[in-house]
Amino acid sequence: IAVSHNVLHLANTFDTLEGNKTSRWRWSGLGLPDSFTPAPETQSDFRDIPQLGELRGITGGDFVSLLFENGIARGDYVGPLSFWAWDDIATGPGDGCAYHNLYIKVRDQTIYYSKQGWRSFDGVGIKNIGLGRVNNWFSRNFDKTANAFKARMVHFGQLSMVGCGFISLDTPDGNIDLILGYNYDTDRWTLIVVSGVKTLGVTASRGTVTLEELDVLYPGGLETIPGSLDDEYWNGDPFPIAGVWTDQLQAFFGDPMVATLYTAEQRIFPDRRAVTDRFTLLAKRGSAFVNVGVKTRHQPNVTTWSPNINIGRNGQFHKRVEGAFHRARCTLSGQWTTARGVEVHDPRPGSKL
């Protein structure tokens, strides 16, 4: 179910006259969400698109994204004669949506799990956001039995991240035990380990405060409002995700947990070792220490880690290391909020490999 241009859109419908119509896209009358009888006067109608298989998902906004079994299509309002029209956007092998419960709309893109991994659709084209990164790992760990349909997509609004909570093959109790998160601002992935979560699907928040609500709360005007309007308070309390655990609705909030994050391994120079000695940890608040790891070409599976390095002002730290491959291990504690990676400054070529 989705909304676009003041019209309610339905996917994969059933009615008493025709029964199940798994490839049907149906829309209501303009401004009439309870009117689905096809009629020129209301502009309600439907389209059957059987060549793309089962219609497994639909999202709205400025246009309608139609997630079929064998492809992705876009629906647009075209006026009072045809009402709504659709165009095939991607119908190649693996472009379609693999599961009816693994898609979510954020901003202008729909993120979904296809037969060939995680992808995003912006109405124009498809981006392979999981290729070479998480697709193989997810395929190996995702329980594709009946438990696949217990997986849920959720939105971490203030973290600019969506998550797929799913039951892994190693679940200790048959409940959701992993959440694979994707930050759509930084185009990065992360993994959250949970336990005992029966289902996900609620994005909880106190809600933002509108100007009309401010008039009611503070009738005396702007001068009577405590604090600054730039304060994050007005954006709502960050209860990023909630679910059912031990038969109760739960929200994840409170003090941040200690986190250990690893950067991806990098080969800075193709034919030489690299010498690095100045770095910046891109993290906010809290406290942290870092270990820098290097590998040689002759020992590709052995990482040599430095001792703990304390972080200085503005996240900078110094440690001279030389190797063919570099990465960092960051341990964050206290009231840390975000961490985006480690920046390497002015690496120099070392000896030849």
Side-chain angles (χ1 to χ4, degrees):
I1 186 169
V3 176
S4 179
H5 293 274
N6 203 23
V7 173
L8 186 64
H9 297 260
L10 305 179
N12 198 332
T13 63
F14 171 87
D15 61 63
T16 56
L17 182 63
E18 297 183 89
N20 289 318
K21 303 299 291 186
T22 59
S23 299
R24 176 165 291 180
W25 163 35
R26 192 173 198 127
W27 59 87
S28 73
L30 183 62
L32 301 169
D34 57 350
S35 176
F36 285 91
T37 301
E41 297 79 14
T42 64
Q43 301 190 23
S44 176
D45 208 343
F46 64 85
R47 294 286 183 275
D48 289 325
I49 314 174
Q51 62 270 32
L52 293 182
E54 181 184 28
L55 181 50
R56 292 179 170 173
I58 186 170
T59 62
D62 291 336
F63 57 90
V64 177
S65 298
L66 302 164
L67 286 74
F68 287 91
E69 176 186 6
N70 299 318
I72 305 299
R74 168 178 172 149
D76 290 281
Y77 181 70
V78 294
L81 295 180
S82 299
F83 312 142
W84 289 82
W86 63 276
D87 290 309
D88 293 346
I89 300 296
T91 57
D95 284 331
C97 185
Y99 296 93
H100 68 79
N101 51 322
L102 293 188
Y103 72 92
I104 192 169
K105 172 73 177 290
V106 288
R107 295 182 183 170
D108 62 345
Q109 60 181 317
T110 297
I111 296 169
Y112 70 100
Y113 186 64
S114 75
K115 297 177 181 178
Q116 294 186 354
W118 288 100
R119 300 186 175 187
S120 68
F121 172 58
D122 61 1
V124 178
I126 301 290
K127 180 180 178 182
N128 292 305
I129 58 176
L131 182 63
R133 304 162 75 186
V134 299
N135 285 348
N136 289 340
W137 177 90
F138 185 78
S139 181
R140 290 195 305 268
N141 288 274
F142 179 47
D143 187 347
K144 302 181 184 67
T145 64
N147 284 332
F149 297 98
K150 297 179 182 179
R152 291 294 181 268
M153 299 294 294
V154 290
H155 186 207
F156 299 69
Q158 294 201 2
L159 301 179
S160 299
M161 185 166 68
V162 297
C164 172
F166 65 98
I167 299 173
S168 77
L169 292 174
D170 297 324
T171 178
D173 54 10
N175 293 315
I176 292 173
D177 58 323
L178 293 175
I179 302 175
L180 180 63
Y182 174 69
N183 188 306
Y184 44 83
D185 280 344
T186 62
D187 187 31
R188 294 189 176 183
W189 294 87
T190 191
L191 184 65
I192 304 168
V193 179
V194 296
S195 63
V197 178
K198 293 184 177 180
T199 186
L200 294 171
V202 179
T203 302
S205 174
R206 184 191 65 236
T208 57
V209 180
T210 66
L211 292 176
E212 291 76 12
E213 291 168 334
L214 282 177
D215 287 337
V216 175
L217 293 171
Y218 303 99
L222 293 175
E223 294 78 9
T224 64
I225 298 176
S228 170
L229 288 177
D230 292 329
D231 196 299
E232 291 185 2
Y233 171 85
W234 307 109
N235 289 326
D237 287 330
F239 291 178
I241 182 176
V244 176
W245 181 34
T246 61
D247 298 323
Q248 294 181 338
L249 188 64
Q250 304 282 339
F252 295 169
F253 64 99
D255 292 333
M257 299 176 65
V258 175
T260 301
L261 311 176
Y262 291 81
T263 65
E265 190 175 273
Q266 298 184 36
R267 184 170 183 174
I268 299 175
F269 299 109
D271 58 349
R272 288 178 176 272
R273 294 180 175 87
V275 180
T276 55
D277 55 17
R278 189 165 67 91
F279 309 84
T280 299
L281 174 62
L282 304 176
K284 292 183 178 180
R285 303 179 184 174
S287 58
F289 64 83
V290 176
N291 309 99
V292 179
V294 295
K295 287 183 181 180
T296 67
R297 188 181 65 174
H298 305 294
Q299 294 180 299
N301 297 319
V302 178
T303 300
T304 302
W305 294 99
S306 72
N308 294 346
I309 307 168
N310 293 322
I311 306 301
R313 188 176 180 181
N314 299 324
Q316 293 190 2
F317 61 96
H318 297 266
K319 179 64 180 178
R320 188 183 187 280
V321 292
E322 181 177 357
F325 305 92
H326 291 65
R327 68 186 310 192
R329 180 174 62 203
C330 315
T331 302
L332 300 103
S333 59
Q335 297 300 311
W336 69 279
T337 56
T338 60
R340 297 190 292 113
V342 173
E343 185 176 358
V344 181
H345 300 283
D346 305 321
R348 304 184 304 278
S351 58
K352 286 190 173 182
L353 296 174

